[in-house]
Amino acid sequence: QVQLVESGGGLVQAGGSLRLSCVASGRTFSSDVMGWFRQAPGKEREFVAAIRGSDGSTDYADSVKGRFTASRGNAKNTVYLQMNSLKSEDTAVYYCAASMALTTIPRMYAYWGQGTQVTVSS
């Protein structure tokens, strides 16, 4: 029914930038919120950022606030995560997900992408 596809991950030096993209297809009309999560080896999946399509409201984890920016394209099926001033601690698999509500709770996101690897070298 719904597919989310992330892209833009890769290897970058500390202090550098990456821009992740997520494109949704299928019946996503009821999913007003697109979120970003990440999971590092041996760690729990954690919330990174989210944006609500209806009003543009955003939410960020304290660890990325001021460095990462979530945005949506003109078409509401596309969302971006601009990551600046990257640190080694940002190394993880990054996932985009769709939800009906602006929330940090993973279980509230019904649809998930396949993930894209971000590796920050120091």
Side-chain angles (χ1 to χ4, degrees):
Q1 292 182 328
V2 176
Q3 294 186 60
L4 304 179
V5 180
E6 303 100 331
S7 62
L11 176 64
V12 64
Q13 291 187 224
S17 299
L18 282 174
R19 190 192 195 202
L20 305 183
S21 300
C22 178
V23 178
S25 62
R27 305 189 185 281
T28 62
F29 310 106
S30 62
S31 299
D32 191 37
V33 173
M34 295 290 286
W36 290 95
F37 293 78
R38 66 187 182 187
Q39 188 166 24
K43 299 188 67 177
E44 298 283 334
R45 184 168 298 188
E46 66 173 340
F47 171 79
V48 176
I51 183 167
R52 184 160 60 198
S54 58
D55 61 1
S57 295
T58 55
D59 191 17
Y60 298 95
D62 288 341
S63 60
V64 307
K65 198 168 298 182
R67 299 189 297 121
F68 291 11
T69 303
S71 62
R72 305 198 77 168
N74 292 328
K76 296 300 182 182
N77 68 328
T78 303
V79 66
Y80 305 99
L81 184 67
Q82 179 67 46
M83 305 186 295
N84 298 327
S85 302
L86 284 162
K87 308 172 181 179
S88 60
E89 307 94 273
D90 296 318
T91 295
V93 176
Y94 284 71
Y95 300 88
C96 67
S99 176
M100 296 179 66
L102 190 64
T103 175
T104 64
I105 305 173
R107 67 177 178 84
M108 297 300 294
Y109 288 79
Y111 307 104
W112 294 79
Q114 82 289 346
T116 185
Q117 177 71 47
V118 172
T119 303
V120 184
S121 63
S122 60

